[in-house]
Amino acid sequence: MGPDDLLLIVMLIALTLYAVLGGADFGAGIWEFTTALQATDRERQHIYKAIGPVWEANHVWLVFVLMILMNGFPKAFAALGLTLWLPLLLTLVGIIFRGGAYIFRSYGGGPKRELLLWEAIFAVASTGTPLFLGAAAGAIASGKLKIPTENSLPSEFVIGWISPLAVFTGFYSIGMCAYLAAVFLTREAHVIGDEHLTTIWRQRSLSTGLWMGVLSFGGLVMVAIEAPHLAEGFVTRGWPLVIISLVCGIGSLIEVWRLNCSRAVIAASGAVTAVIWGWGISQYPAIIPPSITAAQAKSPDGVLWMMLIVILTGGVFLLPALGYLFMLFKGEQLDRKVAS
Amino acid sequence: MTGLLADLTTANQLLPARLQMAFTLGFHIILACYGVGLPVLMLVAEWRFLQTGDRLWQKLAQRWSRSFAVLFAVGAVSGTVLSFELGLLWPEFMGRWGAVIGLPFTMEGFAFFLEAIFAGIYLYGWDRLPKRVHWLTGWPIAISGFLSAFFVVTANAWMNAPAGFRIVDGKIVDIDPLAAMFNVASGAQVTHMIVAAYMVTGFSVAAFYAFCLLRDPQNEYCRRAFTLGLLLGLVFVPVQMVVGDWSAKVVAKSQPVKLAAMEGQFQTERHAPLRIGGIPDPVARETRYAIEIPGALSFLSYADFNAEVKGLNDFPDNEKPPVIVVHLAFQVMVGIGSLMGLLAAGCLVNYVRFRSWPKSKWFLRTVVLMGPLSIVAMEAGWIVTEVGRQPWIVHGYMRTADAVTRAPGVWSVFAGTMSIYLLLGIATITSLVRLARVPLQEDLHGT
Ligand code: HDD
Ligand code: HEM
Ligand code: HEM
């Protein structure tokens, strides 16, 4: 195992954390979008309180993935910038509006009408961002991305990335975020002992969970038809993760139903994690299949080792700090204390 | 034909891509300055609270921390834009050089992360943490703000003074990321930028409260905030002049053509004069209307009145930066720096004689002016650095034109960006003004 493999693992870990933690944040906004007409003020407050202290940190994971890609696999970074510029740009617009809307809603202190506007923007951007980011991921996974050359037609730059799989993964990631958020928010509601909210979120978790199960099967079929290379990877290497994802998914539903909320959260996160690792492992060693592999795109080994040292050193500071943040604001004990 | 089309598109991409990069960086850097500077002010205010138990100090720290939350979030958003843009606008640059200068960006990633984590803890921890612990959680914010500026500017310094690799047959070999980070230009540039960040924060804060004091001279809260801000700004004024001189010496050594453009120096000559003001005329190849101090440029650049300064005429046409922009931007920065120097000297004299700030309204009005001016100086400095490096993106190794993306539509993207950032800017300022307007009394009883 070379330094490039280690770095890929680090990148996959960061991507997973982004998908789970950032995903739950996005999901909260998606719920606001889909329930805009029915949600009461109290429900909205519940959402905002849950994301408040952690959303900023949750979103740095994405920056982190980008930085590793840029430094460790610069050729892949450059190729993605060229081929996927449109979905990435749209993701970026989503990130800007989401972050802006959240902060102006929380701190802007404007009149009611203006708050509503920011809320609406927050909700739409929370839905759009995972849509486009997910689509970008699907475009990569499809194995059909053509890296534009000197004499590519402008149209290839614009719509070349769109494929059935890309469209599917776009919507799939919206569903994934919504599901995570529903389970996380069930737990938060349960911890502070709010029965009304707990019931609502429990119902939502169960229904989205079932839908996600159906979608996941559809996804496997889709991969089999649309991305034969990836499907082969799943058959030879990725299959245990499919099983793990299945088990975790079903497990999370059962635990939500029984209101074992912490376990439900773990299982739901596990399901998402398994999907991402299943993808990564099945696609290995390609970063952008079929043409760009890790070995081709990587920086020299010396640089990669240096990065790993930096990441290890940084991790020594980062992980305890992150743990402290979550302990402070997500620990059950404290939540109870504040609620009472 | 297709080749021609490709050429056309690349040429069309370059201008909007540069404008886009300049605009988004210019926006981000203002917020980054507050991200580096405000935590220091918050720490000082809260420390005074811990010492004196005076709730007004705590209020100050709390209200600053709320503004910080807004600025930090917008800074984070605009920073994320930048990290995407490096790939979206300059794929060839990153694809080729990412291995060499990626390391500081990776390190920066950690610094941001720590800053975001502790910002969360600090902002939401006012009621949850013991007072002293809460104060301590502010430190990592200040430190990682400092570090992120440090890391990211080393990357920029490398673009000015590339190091840490060799080129063999067109391939990059022997990459040494640490040597790339700590290149000839890093020391001066990093120091100059971080000092600028403290100055921008200090003067902006002072300007805001000077404005309040003009309306309500007795307001104790504003007086304290004003004092802290102005002290932070003024202390660094003399430092910045020394560091700026260091920067100029580094530029003289590593990028003589940039120095010539900054100074509007067309002839190569010994005993070169320092020009104050003036408008360079690239066609006639001379700088008119400047006040010239004989020999001063040779001395400032090389510590020798008789040193030879190379003029623009001695460089090939396709290696010269746009001299008018660079010269004017440099004059603006140094001019504002000198004004600040006068202000600092005035305050010092007044303090020695009366043990207080000058009492006149004109003093407050000058400080109000210094807020925007400090930002202008900082932006002008970046224009000197970046435009002065043209036509290179990596000085001597890669031209900007060769780095730009081939994807279409950059003009439309730029137009879109302008409108989105306009909205973002207005909303940020509105939020800050509203935060400041919350009456203090109400706030003291509220959260
Ligand atoms: C508050 C802001 C501020 C002030 C008052 C000054 N500067 Fe500055 N200057 C900057 C803010 C700045 C900056 C924006 O931070 C730059 C851009 C890149 C950098 O590292 O610092 C810069 C760049 C910069 C450069 C170019 C460095 C390069 O291209 O690598 C030089 C030569 C100077 N400065 C010199 C000076 C001098 C002689 C000053 C005397 C008063 C001065 N600066 C005041
Ligand atoms: C680490 C920090 C920075 C990096 C890595 C960086 C990188 C770049 C890159 C890649 C370009 C486009 C290529 C080029 O025109 O040379 C650019 C251009 C530019 N940047 Fe920077 N930049 C940094 C900081 C800043 C800041 C803070 C400003 C603030 C105003 C700034 C102002 C500009 C301007 C004005 C241009 C356009 C120059 C021109 O095209 O004539 N830069 N920079
Ligand atoms: C090409 C140049 C740059 C890139 C790619 C970049 C990238 C970023 C990113 C991704 C963030 C958000 C991190 C988060 O979510 O917390 C950020 C924030 C920040 N950036 Fe930049 N940045 C650049 C230029 C600069 C420069 C020149 C400075 C110089 C001081 C700077 C200082 C900061 C600071 C202090 C923050 C923390 C947020 C804040 O305090 O507002 N950045 N930057």
Side-chain angles (χ1 to χ4, degrees), chain B residues 352-370:
Chain B
V352 170
R353 290 174 59 191
F354 306 114
R355 302 276 137 191
S356 75
W357 296 116
K359 291 276 182 282
S360 114
K361 278 210 168 190
W362 280 105
F363 167 64
L364 290 178
R365 289 191 187 123
T366 314
V367 175
V368 170
L369 201 63
M370 281 305 157

Short mmCIF file of all heavy atoms in Angstrom, two decimals, chain B residues 352-370:
data_model
loop_
_atom_site.label_atom_id
_atom_site.label_comp_id
_atom_site.label_asym_id
_atom_site.label_seq_id
_atom_site.Cartn_x
_atom_site.Cartn_y
_atom_site.Cartn_z
N VAL B 352 1.83 61.95 24.80
CA VAL B 352 2.93 62.34 25.66
C VAL B 352 2.59 63.64 26.39
O VAL B 352 2.87 63.81 27.58
CB VAL B 352 4.22 62.51 24.84
CG1 VAL B 352 5.32 63.14 25.67
CG2 VAL B 352 4.67 61.16 24.30
N ARG B 353 1.91 64.56 25.70
CA ARG B 353 1.61 65.85 26.33
C ARG B 353 0.38 65.81 27.23
O ARG B 353 0.38 66.37 28.32
CB ARG B 353 1.44 66.93 25.25
CG ARG B 353 2.76 67.25 24.58
CD ARG B 353 2.62 68.19 23.43
NE ARG B 353 2.01 69.47 23.84
CZ ARG B 353 1.60 70.37 22.95
NH1 ARG B 353 1.69 70.11 21.68
NH2 ARG B 353 1.08 71.49 23.36
N PHE B 354 -0.67 65.13 26.78
CA PHE B 354 -1.94 65.23 27.53
C PHE B 354 -2.43 63.90 28.09
O PHE B 354 -3.49 63.83 28.70
CB PHE B 354 -3.04 65.80 26.64
CG PHE B 354 -2.68 67.11 26.01
CD1 PHE B 354 -2.53 67.22 24.63
CD2 PHE B 354 -2.48 68.23 26.81
CE1 PHE B 354 -2.19 68.42 24.06
CE2 PHE B 354 -2.15 69.43 26.23
CZ PHE B 354 -2.00 69.54 24.85
N ARG B 355 -1.72 62.82 27.83
CA ARG B 355 -2.16 61.51 28.30
C ARG B 355 -3.56 61.14 27.81
O ARG B 355 -4.36 60.58 28.57
CB ARG B 355 -2.16 61.43 29.84
CG ARG B 355 -0.85 61.70 30.51
CD ARG B 355 0.02 60.47 30.57
NE ARG B 355 1.39 60.86 30.24
CZ ARG B 355 2.37 60.01 29.99
NH1 ARG B 355 2.16 58.73 30.03
NH2 ARG B 355 3.57 60.43 29.69
N SER B 356 -3.90 61.51 26.62
CA SER B 356 -5.21 61.10 26.10
C SER B 356 -5.20 61.18 24.58
O SER B 356 -4.24 61.66 23.98
CB SER B 356 -6.31 62.01 26.65
OG SER B 356 -6.24 63.25 25.97
N TRP B 357 -6.29 60.71 23.96
CA TRP B 357 -6.45 60.90 22.53
C TRP B 357 -6.68 62.38 22.27
O TRP B 357 -7.20 63.09 23.14
CB TRP B 357 -7.67 60.14 22.01
CG TRP B 357 -7.60 58.66 22.12
CD1 TRP B 357 -8.41 57.87 22.87
CD2 TRP B 357 -6.70 57.77 21.45
NE1 TRP B 357 -8.07 56.56 22.72
CE2 TRP B 357 -7.02 56.46 21.86
CE3 TRP B 357 -5.64 57.96 20.55
CZ2 TRP B 357 -6.34 55.34 21.39
CZ3 TRP B 357 -4.97 56.85 20.10
CH2 TRP B 357 -5.31 55.55 20.51
N PRO B 358 -6.35 62.86 21.06
CA PRO B 358 -6.68 64.24 20.72
C PRO B 358 -8.18 64.46 20.90
O PRO B 358 -8.98 63.56 20.64
CB PRO B 358 -6.29 64.35 19.25
CG PRO B 358 -5.26 63.30 19.05
CD PRO B 358 -5.61 62.20 19.98
N LYS B 359 -8.57 65.65 21.34
CA LYS B 359 -9.97 65.87 21.67
C LYS B 359 -10.80 66.34 20.48
O LYS B 359 -12.02 66.27 20.50
CB LYS B 359 -10.09 66.94 22.77
CG LYS B 359 -9.57 66.47 24.11
CD LYS B 359 -10.64 65.67 24.86
CE LYS B 359 -10.15 65.23 26.23
NZ LYS B 359 -9.25 64.07 26.15
N SER B 360 -10.13 66.84 19.44
CA SER B 360 -10.87 67.53 18.39
C SER B 360 -11.76 66.59 17.59
O SER B 360 -11.48 65.39 17.48
CB SER B 360 -9.89 68.25 17.45
OG SER B 360 -9.94 67.68 16.18
N LYS B 361 -12.83 67.17 17.05
CA LYS B 361 -13.73 66.39 16.18
C LYS B 361 -13.00 65.96 14.93
O LYS B 361 -13.33 64.94 14.34
CB LYS B 361 -14.93 67.25 15.79
CG LYS B 361 -16.00 67.27 16.84
CD LYS B 361 -17.37 67.44 16.22
CE LYS B 361 -18.33 67.17 17.27
NZ LYS B 361 -19.42 66.97 17.65
N TRP B 362 -12.04 66.78 14.50
CA TRP B 362 -11.32 66.43 13.28
C TRP B 362 -10.52 65.16 13.44
O TRP B 362 -10.34 64.42 12.49
CB TRP B 362 -10.43 67.59 12.83
CG TRP B 362 -11.28 68.59 12.13
CD1 TRP B 362 -11.70 69.78 12.62
CD2 TRP B 362 -11.89 68.42 10.86
NE1 TRP B 362 -12.53 70.39 11.73
CE2 TRP B 362 -12.66 69.58 10.62
CE3 TRP B 362 -11.86 67.43 9.88
CZ2 TRP B 362 -13.40 69.76 9.46
CZ3 TRP B 362 -12.58 67.61 8.72
CH2 TRP B 362 -13.35 68.77 8.52
N PHE B 363 -10.09 64.93 14.66
CA PHE B 363 -9.37 63.68 14.92
C PHE B 363 -10.31 62.50 14.67
O PHE B 363 -9.98 61.56 13.93
CB PHE B 363 -8.86 63.68 16.36
CG PHE B 363 -8.38 62.34 16.82
CD1 PHE B 363 -7.28 61.74 16.24
CD2 PHE B 363 -9.03 61.67 17.86
CE1 PHE B 363 -6.85 60.49 16.65
CE2 PHE B 363 -8.61 60.43 18.28
CZ PHE B 363 -7.51 59.84 17.68
N LEU B 364 -11.51 62.58 15.24
CA LEU B 364 -12.47 61.49 15.02
C LEU B 364 -12.81 61.35 13.54
O LEU B 364 -12.90 60.24 13.01
CB LEU B 364 -13.75 61.75 15.83
CG LEU B 364 -13.60 61.63 17.35
CD1 LEU B 364 -14.91 61.94 18.04
CD2 LEU B 364 -13.13 60.22 17.73
N ARG B 365 -12.97 62.47 12.88
CA ARG B 365 -13.31 62.40 11.45
C ARG B 365 -12.19 61.74 10.67
O ARG B 365 -12.45 60.94 9.75
CB ARG B 365 -13.59 63.79 10.90
CG ARG B 365 -14.90 64.33 11.45
CD ARG B 365 -15.34 65.59 10.72
NE ARG B 365 -16.51 66.13 11.41
CZ ARG B 365 -16.58 67.36 11.90
NH1 ARG B 365 -15.57 68.21 11.73
NH2 ARG B 365 -17.66 67.76 12.54
N THR B 366 -10.96 62.06 11.02
CA THR B 366 -9.83 61.41 10.34
C THR B 366 -9.88 59.90 10.55
O THR B 366 -9.64 59.12 9.62
CB THR B 366 -8.49 61.94 10.88
OG1 THR B 366 -8.59 63.35 10.96
CG2 THR B 366 -7.35 61.54 9.98
N VAL B 367 -10.18 59.51 11.79
CA VAL B 367 -10.22 58.06 12.05
C VAL B 367 -11.33 57.40 11.25
O VAL B 367 -11.15 56.30 10.70
CB VAL B 367 -10.39 57.80 13.56
CG1 VAL B 367 -10.55 56.31 13.81
CG2 VAL B 367 -9.20 58.32 14.32
N VAL B 368 -12.48 58.08 11.14
CA VAL B 368 -13.57 57.53 10.33
C VAL B 368 -13.06 57.26 8.91
O VAL B 368 -13.33 56.23 8.31
CB VAL B 368 -14.78 58.48 10.28
CG1 VAL B 368 -15.80 58.01 9.25
CG2 VAL B 368 -15.42 58.57 11.65
N LEU B 369 -12.28 58.18 8.41
CA LEU B 369 -11.74 58.04 7.06
C LEU B 369 -10.76 56.87 6.97
O LEU B 369 -10.66 56.19 5.95
CB LEU B 369 -11.04 59.34 6.68
CG LEU B 369 -10.86 59.59 5.20
CD1 LEU B 369 -12.22 59.71 4.53
CD2 LEU B 369 -10.03 60.84 4.98
N MET B 370 -10.00 56.65 8.05
CA MET B 370 -8.96 55.62 8.01
C MET B 370 -9.52 54.22 7.84
O MET B 370 -8.83 53.33 7.35
CB MET B 370 -8.12 55.66 9.30
CG MET B 370 -7.09 56.75 9.34
SD MET B 370 -6.01 56.66 7.91
CE MET B 370 -5.44 58.33 7.86
#
